[in-house]
Amino acid sequence: MKTIRLHPGKERSLLRRHPWIFESAIARGGGDSDETVRVVSHEGQFLAWAAFSPHSRIRARVWSFDEAQRIDASFFEAACDRSVRARARFGIESDGLRLVHGESDGLPGLVVDRYADTLVAQFTSAGAERHKQTLADALLCATGLHKLYERSDASARKLEGLLPATGWLRGGPASAEAPAPPLELRIHEHAWQFAVHIAEGHKTGFYLDQRDNRRRFADYAERLRFARVLNCYCYTGGFTVAALAGLRAAGVQGAQVWSIDSSAPALARARAHVELNGLDASQGHFLDADVNAALRQFLQQGERFDAIVLDPPKLAPTIAHAERAARAYKDINRLALQLLAPGGVLFTFSCSGGISADLFHKIVASAGADAGVDAYILERLGGAPDHPMTLAFPEGEYLKGLVVMRKA
């Protein structure tokens, strides 16, 4: 077994059970890409078993802190079973949910989502890639399902020296002539339905992490009876459905919900989701446009909205991108706050790992100052519980959100 030895003092994070070992922490030693290595302190004390990745700044990712643990099929079977059983205790009202959330579930570089009767997996680290077939078998055993589709097309694979890979890992067609399983699936979320295309959608097909925030937005729409709603970066219309469902529950007549995205196919799916849920299509307006430009145009036209959702794509994947991303976040939040009617509510989010919750708060506060708007922070939001942050791995908290109400 190959060994990596750390510089003096670099063992502290591992003693706190943090699973990442950066290149700068290693004094000597190494291994082949995806090889399991023994990690020891400068003095030779055992610290962990980890998967080595010579191409990544995160040079090794921990599988186990137990010296007696063997990293074999039994290890992965137990880890997958433990992760799946945990979700059964989270009280999730959906058959679309995350079953494995990487490091937070002790399986670094592996993300697995369930959509109805199908699993969709992303293998984004060298270690997860090496054990892909073993993990696929373990996941099907833990869930009792038979179909697993791979969506290993995330940019993180490039950092690990891996090429993109997509397609059926398990349960695909038995031959070229055999019919393939459907790639478009329907899931239930709270009282709603959504269609998910697992081969084409963002991430593994859908933004499952916003599940509870969509429900929260519906609650606000029902309670505050919004007349005009603006959903920016709407993708396939999750928050649009939530707004219209909340307004229907409140018996609001004549409310209008604008949904903006720069993807025509996404907007088409958003329209379809409104119809799928039996909502009033006449209340929905779908705009194929750049969000920043659309917000500026609305402002020039003197428009005002009772509620706005800002859920932009990832702008800062790492801290190195934070400064530029902060300017972009500030600009769209400034425009949104100016467009809010007095007493209006802004649901604003960042899914960027390089933007901390504290920094995001400061960005929105600075946007308010530039907009000349004061507002209450009513709530702080995060990802749904099946996308957990753990005590040892705070980096699992990538989704941050604020509910802001403009002072009347």
Side-chain angles (χ1 to χ4, degrees):
M1 182 67 66
K2 293 179 182 176
T3 298
I4 59 174
R5 187 177 296 268
L6 304 187
H7 288 296
K10 294 298 183 179
E11 75 283 355
R12 285 193 286 268
S13 66
L14 289 172
L15 293 175
R16 295 194 298 271
R17 304 180 75 83
H18 193 283
W20 287 352
I21 302 164
F22 288 91
E23 176 187 11
S24 59
I26 298 173
R28 63 178 181 271
D32 297 330
S33 180
D34 71 31
E35 185 176 5
T36 298
V37 296
R38 179 184 178 92
V39 184
V40 300
S41 69
H42 189 70
E43 292 75 25
Q45 173 193 3
F46 172 83
L47 296 170
W49 300 111
F52 193 74
S53 179
H55 302 284
S56 175
R57 195 168 66 91
I58 304 174
R59 194 51 54 93
R61 299 172 191 262
V62 172
W63 290 126
S64 174
F65 296 95
D66 179 1
E67 188 171 8
Q69 178 69 62
R70 291 176 60 86
I71 309 304
D72 56 13
S74 296
F75 168 79
F76 292 111
E77 289 166 6
C80 289
D81 184 66
R82 184 166 54 247
S83 184
V84 170
R85 283 189 291 106
R87 269 55 180 181
R89 302 177 62 85
F90 289 173
I92 297 167
E93 296 182 39
S94 179
D95 58 355
L97 68 157
R98 177 150 297 181
L99 296 180
V100 178
H101 191 53
E103 283 82 347
S104 294
D105 286 303
L107 291 166
L110 177 64
V111 165
V112 183
D113 291 334
R114 175 175 181 164
Y115 297 106
D117 66 348
T118 302
L119 300 181
V120 182
Q122 287 185 333
F123 302 86
T124 60
S125 70
E129 177 70 15
R130 176 176 183 137
H131 298 283
K132 180 188 292 184
Q133 301 303 326
T134 300
L135 284 164
D137 290 338
L139 288 163
L140 295 181
C141 181
T143 59
L145 300 179
H146 305 285
K147 292 183 290 185
L148 191 158
Y149 191 85
E150 180 177 10
R151 276 293 305 272
S152 298
D153 51 1
S155 59
R157 279 178 69 90
K158 185 176 182 181
L159 301 177
E160 296 278 315
L162 302 172
L163 296 173
T166 60
W168 290 103
L169 276 181
R170 298 290 186 274
S175 67
E177 295 76 25
L183 293 172
E184 184 163 302
L185 307 167
R186 187 172 294 183
I187 63 170
H188 295 80
E189 176 180 298
H190 305 298
W192 313 320
Q193 297 181 71
F194 295 101
V196 179
H197 199 295
I198 59 175
E200 296 178 357
H202 292 181
K203 302 176 82 171
T204 64
F206 195 62
Y207 288 105
L208 296 171
D209 50 3
Q210 290 282 22
R211 181 191 313 110
D212 293 347
N213 297 329
R214 287 189 283 267
R215 175 69 262 178
R216 200 77 190 100
F217 190 61
D219 293 341
Y220 271 82
E222 181 177 359
R223 180 169 58 84
L224 297 179
R225 302 172 64 86
F226 302 139
R228 293 166 58 83
V229 177
L230 179 60
N231 180 15
C232 301
Y233 310 97
C234 72
Y235 188 42
T236 58
F239 281 102
T240 301
V241 167
L244 290 170
L247 294 170
R248 180 176 62 182
V252 175
Q253 302 293 323
Q256 301 297 306
V257 178
W258 281 262
S259 303
I260 307 176
D261 202 281
S262 58
S263 166
L267 288 170
R269 287 187 174 272
R271 289 191 190 93
H273 283 152
V274 170
E275 296 175 3
L276 178 63
N277 287 278
L279 299 165
D280 187 350
S282 69
Q283 293 181 302
H285 307 275
F286 299 89
L287 183 59
D288 184 349
D290 173 77
V291 167
N292 196 292
L295 293 178
R296 293 177 188 279
Q297 184 174 0
F298 280 136
L299 200 59
Q300 290 172 0
Q301 294 170 347
E303 301 282 3
R304 292 293 181 271
F305 296 92
D306 301 306
I308 299 175
V309 177
L310 287 180
D311 187 19
K314 185 186 297 184
L315 300 178
T318 68
I319 293 175
H321 302 86
E323 184 176 349
R324 185 175 65 179
R327 291 195 295 269
Y329 281 122
K330 179 180 176 181
D331 195 37
I332 58 172
N333 277 277
R334 175 182 59 81
L335 293 168
L337 287 167
Q338 288 176 299
L339 285 167
L340 268 186
V345 174
L346 170 66
F347 272 54
T348 181
F349 297 97
S350 165
C351 64
S352 296
I355 301 291
S356 68
D358 284 347
L359 176 57
F360 187 58
H361 183 161
K362 291 175 182 176
I363 290 169
V364 177
S366 181
D370 284 4
V373 170
D374 198 5
Y376 302 104
I377 293 179
L378 303 185
E379 297 186 50
R380 294 179 182 271
L381 303 174
D386 50 333
H387 295 64
M389 172 181 66
T390 66
L391 296 174
F393 188 66
E395 290 86 349
E397 186 189 25
Y398 66 94
L399 179 62
K400 287 80 58 175
L402 296 172
V403 181
V404 176
M405 177 180 284
R406 180 171 177 169
K407 289 186 177 180

